[in-house]
Each structure stands twice: as structure tokens, then as C-alpha cells.
Amino acid sequence: HPNYAVVNNFRTNDIAIVFLNQPVTFSATVFPIHVPEPGDDFHPHLNEQGMVLGYAGPTTIGNEGLENLQAAHVRAMTHAACLAIYPGALENQHFCANDAELGSNFCLGDQGGSFAIMSRQREYLVRTRTGLMVKIFKFIFLQVGIATLPGCATQPSIYTRVSTYRDWIAQETGL
């Protein structure tokens, strides 16, 4: 982002767009992640579970990352609870999440990773062969955050809220 900055060891406007030289071939295991629609001021709900992805280990300190992609499930917190832990650090462009029970979180080396939720998009009413009506739901992965400040296993982590930058993303990509 053109206004990216680090102030008091805290990142603002911590978001980037990566353009690839070649198109990606999608498959059952490689698929696009969606971002909030333009104008959608999306905040994760209190306790909403998201999946965080990264290659760092639980205590990686700038050393080699792991070979396989790791996932942790964390839950969104209230803005007030996060401000109590990180006073003066949060802006509207951020949110916090953690897993207080298991200590799952992202850690050093995972910055830039995705905080994604499963979003129910459509419902279909389908009649089975036996005549029973069944609802089928279509789900997508929705990227609502980007890992910014790691809390590792002891503190909540701070995420850049993608919907804050949706107009900028559209301006830069046309999407």
C-alpha cells in the first residue's frame, strides 16, 4: 500500500497486491479466495472463527519456516478487548483474534497470511430421488483479514481488515 508505515513497532496500511506473471490453474485443491464486496464494511463477528494460514512454526523467530502450510483456528474479539491489550495501537482498519483455550495463533514469520472465514453464499432447495426436499448451501472462503502483528500463543494477534481497503483493491486491480 502506498501509505504503509511502521509506527512504534506497529504496522499501518499493512496490505499489498501481488500480480502474477502467469495465470493460476484452479483445481479441487487450488481455488481462489474471495474478498468482501466493494462498499461492504465487513467486521468479523464477536467469537467468529477464522482460519489463519502460514509457514512459520509455533516459535519461529525469523528462522527457516516449515515446509508445509500450517493452519490455526482463532476467534475474533471485540475492539474494546483488543484495545485493552494493545492501547493506542489499533485503528478502524484492524481487528484482533486468538484462541485462548488452545493457544492457536499465528507467530513470527506468518505476517501477511490470510484470516479467512467460511461464508454461506447461496441456498438451493433440491428434491432427492425419494421425494425428500433438502437444502444445499454453497460456501466460499472469504478473506477478511491479513496477519499483521503476531501474538503467538500468549497474546491475541492483530489483523488488517480487508474490507477497509476494498475500494483501493478495486482501483488497483479493476476487480
Side-chain angles (χ1 to χ4, degrees):
H1 192 275
N3 296 322
Y4 171 82
V6 178
V7 179
N8 296 329
N9 204 29
F10 187 75
R11 295 177 180 95
T12 60
N13 300 304
D14 191 12
I15 187 169
I17 297 172
V18 177
F19 292 95
L20 303 176
N21 290 331
Q22 299 177 24
V24 174
T25 302
F26 295 117
S27 67
T29 57
V30 177
F31 47 88
I33 192 164
H34 298 263
V35 294
E37 292 294 322
D40 184 3
D41 188 27
F42 189 89
H43 290 265
H45 302 292
L46 172 62
N47 241 2
E48 184 165 16
Q49 181 173 289
M51 182 171 52
V52 184
L53 302 172
Y55 285 95
T59 58
T60 304
I61 304 176
N63 297 329
E64 285 185 33
L66 301 173
E67 186 174 320
N68 297 313
L69 185 63
Q70 305 294 301
H73 296 276
V74 295
R75 296 189 178 274
M77 304 170 53
T78 66
H79 202 70
C82 195
L83 273 174
I85 297 165
Y86 298 108
L90 288 184
E91 298 176 11
N92 188 44
Q93 64 183 317
H94 300 107
F95 68 91
C96 287
N98 74 343
D99 180 351
E101 285 185 37
L102 299 177
S104 296
N105 216 334
F106 83 88
C107 203
L108 299 171
D110 287 328
Q111 293 93 329
S114 176
F115 179 99
I117 61 169
M118 292 287 290
S119 177
R120 186 168 86 185
Q121 294 297 297
R122 299 190 85 155
E123 296 181 12
Y124 301 94
L125 198 55
V126 178
R127 186 179 305 276
T128 65
R129 288 184 209 159
T130 61
L132 181 67
M133 296 300 286
V134 178
K135 258 189 193 179
I136 297 176
F137 301 100
K138 177 185 176 190
F139 289 90
I140 63 167
F141 282 104
L142 182 66
Q143 182 168 351
V144 297
I146 299 169
T148 297
L149 181 68
C152 298
T154 59
Q155 296 273 7
S157 294
I158 298 177
Y159 298 84
T160 297
R161 193 165 54 90
V162 174
S163 65
T164 306
Y165 297 93
R166 190 55 182 95
D167 292 338
W168 174 75
I169 293 169
Q171 175 187 332
E172 296 294 318
T173 66
L175 301 175

